[in-house]
C-alpha cells in the first residue's frame, strides 16, 4: 500500500537538489518537510524507512495521535506544525513540535510565550505571513508584519527563526516568495518555509530553506 513512497521521496529529493544547484545554492540548503497530514502512521513509517526524518502536520490533534509513538522508535524524527493554531491547542503543540510554523497574531504569541515557560520546551517558531492579503487565509497581513515580527522578538522574546507563507492558489507564487524573502532579510531571520508540491522549485529559486511537500510524496488527499 505504501510502496510508492520511497520512490516518490527519491524523486522529490533529486528535484530539490537540482533546483538548489540551479539556484547556485549550497547542496542540502533546502530541506524537505514531508507533509503527512491525513495519511496513516504506516505512510509515515514508510517515509522513515526511506530515510526521511522531517515531517509536517497541520492539525495538532492528528499529530498527537500519530507522532509520540513514532518518536519513541525514531528519536531523530522532527515534527513541524504547519496548520492554523488555536490558542487552546498551544500547550499540546509546544509539547509535540520541534517547529511551529504558524504564529500569526498577538494573542497566539502571548499563549506561546506562556506555554513555552510552563512546558519548559522551546520549539522554534516561524511567523506566517498572508502575502496575498486573502481574507479566508491565516497569517499576519504584510502591512502589519514588520511590527508583529519586532513584537514577537522583543516584547515576547519568542524563539522566532523565520517566516512561512502559502501564496494564493491561482497566482504566480514568485512575487509572494520574493516578498517573504525580503521581509525575513530585513529582520535577519534565516528560515524561509515556502513552496509545496506544485511550486517548490520556484520557492527554492527564491531562497526557501524548507519546502513543504505532501501530495507529491504521499499521493492525492481526499478533498477536505
Ligand atoms: C497540506 C499542506 C502542504 C502540502 O501541500 P501539497 O500540495 O500536498 O504538497 C504544505 N503546506 C501546508 C501549510 C499545508 O497545509
Amino acid at each position: 500500500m505504501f510502496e510508492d513512497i520511497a520512490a516518490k521521496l527519491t524523486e522529490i529529493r533529486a528535484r530539490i537538489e537540482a533546483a538548489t544547484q540551479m539556484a547556485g545554492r549550497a547542496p542540502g540548503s533546502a530541506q524537505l518537510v514531508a507533509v503527512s497530514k491525513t495519511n496513516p502512521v504506516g505512510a509515515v513509517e514508510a517515509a522513515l524507512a526511506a530515510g526521511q526524518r522531517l515531517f509536517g502536520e497541520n492539525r495538532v490533534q492528528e499529530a498527537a495521535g500519530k507522532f509520540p509513538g513514532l518518536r519513541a522508535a525514531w528519536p531523530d524524527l522532527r515534527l513541524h506544525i504547519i496548520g492554523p493554531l488555536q490558542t487552546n491547542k498551544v500547550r499540546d503543540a509546544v509539547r509535540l513540535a520541534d517547529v511551529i510554523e504558524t504564529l500569526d497574531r498577538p494573542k497566539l504569541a502571548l499563549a506561546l510565550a506562556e506555554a513555552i515557560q510552563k512546558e519548559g520546551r522551546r520549539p522554534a517558531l516561524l511567523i506566517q505571513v498572508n502575502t496575498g492579503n486573502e481574507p479566508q487565509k491565516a497569517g499576519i497581513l504584510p502591512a502589519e508584519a514588520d511590527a508583529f515580527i519586532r513584537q514577537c522578538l522583543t516584547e515576547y522574546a519568542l524563539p522566532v527563526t523565520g517566516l512561512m507563507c502559502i501564496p494564493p492558489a491561482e497566482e504566480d507564487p514568485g512575487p509572494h516568495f520574493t516578498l517573504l524573502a525580503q521581509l525575513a532579510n530585513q529582520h535577519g531571520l534565516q528560515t524561509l518555509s515556502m513552496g509545496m508540491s506544485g511550486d517548490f522549485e520556484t520557492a527554492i529559486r527564491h531562497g526557501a530553506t524548507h519546502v513543504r511537500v505532501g501530495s507529491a510524496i504521499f499521493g492525492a488527499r481526499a478533498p477536505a
Side-chain angles (χ1 to χ4, degrees), residues 147-200:
F148 183 60
I149 293 167
R150 230 173 283 125
Q151 183 184 32
C152 288
L153 290 169
T154 57
E155 186 177 335
Y156 297 114
L158 288 169
V160 173
T161 59
L163 304 179
M164 176 271 217
C165 76
I166 310 170
E170 307 302 323
E171 283 181 36
D172 173 7
H176 297 273
F177 297 153
T178 300
L179 173 64
L180 199 73
Q182 283 171 347
L183 250 181
N185 189 43
Q186 282 160 18
H187 291 271
L189 297 170
Q190 307 297 322
T191 302
L192 275 175
S193 173
M194 53 191 201
M196 318 202 309
S197 290
D199 58 14
F200 67 87

Side-chain angles (χ1 to χ4, degrees), residues 33-38 56-59 81-84 101-102 128 164-166 193 195-200 211-221:
V33 179
V35 177
S36 51
K37 66 183 182 199
T38 78
E57 284 281 338
N58 70 337
R59 289 171 185 273
I81 294 293
I82 62 170
E101 299 202 6
T102 48
Q128 182 177 358
M164 176 271 217
C165 76
I166 310 170
S193 173
M196 318 202 309
S197 290
D199 58 14
F200 67 87
V211 295
R212 309 177 308 268
V213 178
S215 49
I217 297 167
F218 295 107
R221 291 177 296 272

Side-chain angles (χ1 to χ4, degrees), residues 114-135:
E114 284 174 2
I116 285 169
Q117 192 163 38
K118 286 198 182 114
E119 294 294 327
R121 205 166 176 275
R122 206 171 157 79
L125 305 175
L126 307 184
I127 291 175
Q128 182 177 358
V129 182
N130 185 354
T131 58
N133 288 285
E134 294 176 279

Side-chain angles (χ1 to χ4, degrees), residues 9-214:
L9 270 171
T10 302
E11 180 202 323
I12 297 298
R13 286 196 197 110
R15 284 173 58 189
I16 287 172
E17 281 318 304
T20 304
Q21 188 175 22
M22 287 272 284
R25 298 177 47 187
S29 59
Q31 291 188 56
L32 172 61
V33 179
V35 177
S36 51
K37 66 183 182 199
T38 78
N39 286 281
V41 168
V44 181
E45 284 172 331
L48 283 160
Q52 181 65 25
R53 291 295 178 271
L54 184 51
F55 294 89
E57 284 281 338
N58 70 337
R59 289 171 185 273
V60 173
Q61 220 157 343
E62 184 180 343
K66 281 153 77 171
F67 278 84
L70 289 168
R71 234 192 238 285
W74 307 84
D76 58 345
L77 177 162
R78 292 291 172 264
L79 177 64
H80 289 209
I81 294 293
I82 62 170
L85 191 55
Q86 296 167 276
T87 47
N88 65 354
K89 298 277 169 33
V90 162
R91 278 191 80 167
D92 287 339
V94 164
R95 216 173 287 143
L96 271 171
D98 299 289
V99 179
I100 297 172
E101 299 202 6
T102 48
L103 167 55
D104 67 350
R105 56 195 190 279
K107 198 175 161 204
L108 188 55
L110 183 59
L112 281 163
E114 284 174 2
I116 285 169
Q117 192 163 38
K118 286 198 182 114
E119 294 294 327
R121 205 166 176 275
R122 206 171 157 79
L125 305 175
L126 307 184
I127 291 175
Q128 182 177 358
V129 182
N130 185 354
T131 58
N133 288 285
E134 294 176 279
Q136 83 288 4
K137 198 166 270 177
I140 190 88
L141 297 175
E144 298 167 5
D146 261 319
F148 183 60
I149 293 167
R150 230 173 283 125
Q151 183 184 32
C152 288
L153 290 169
T154 57
E155 186 177 335
Y156 297 114
L158 288 169
V160 173
T161 59
L163 304 179
M164 176 271 217
C165 76
I166 310 170
E170 307 302 323
E171 283 181 36
D172 173 7
H176 297 273
F177 297 153
T178 300
L179 173 64
L180 199 73
Q182 283 171 347
L183 250 181
N185 189 43
Q186 282 160 18
H187 291 271
L189 297 170
Q190 307 297 322
T191 302
L192 275 175
S193 173
M194 53 191 201
M196 318 202 309
S197 290
D199 58 14
F200 67 87
E201 283 142 324
T202 307
I204 289 169
R205 203 153 58 235
H206 287 86
T209 61
H210 293 74
V211 295
R212 309 177 308 268
V213 178

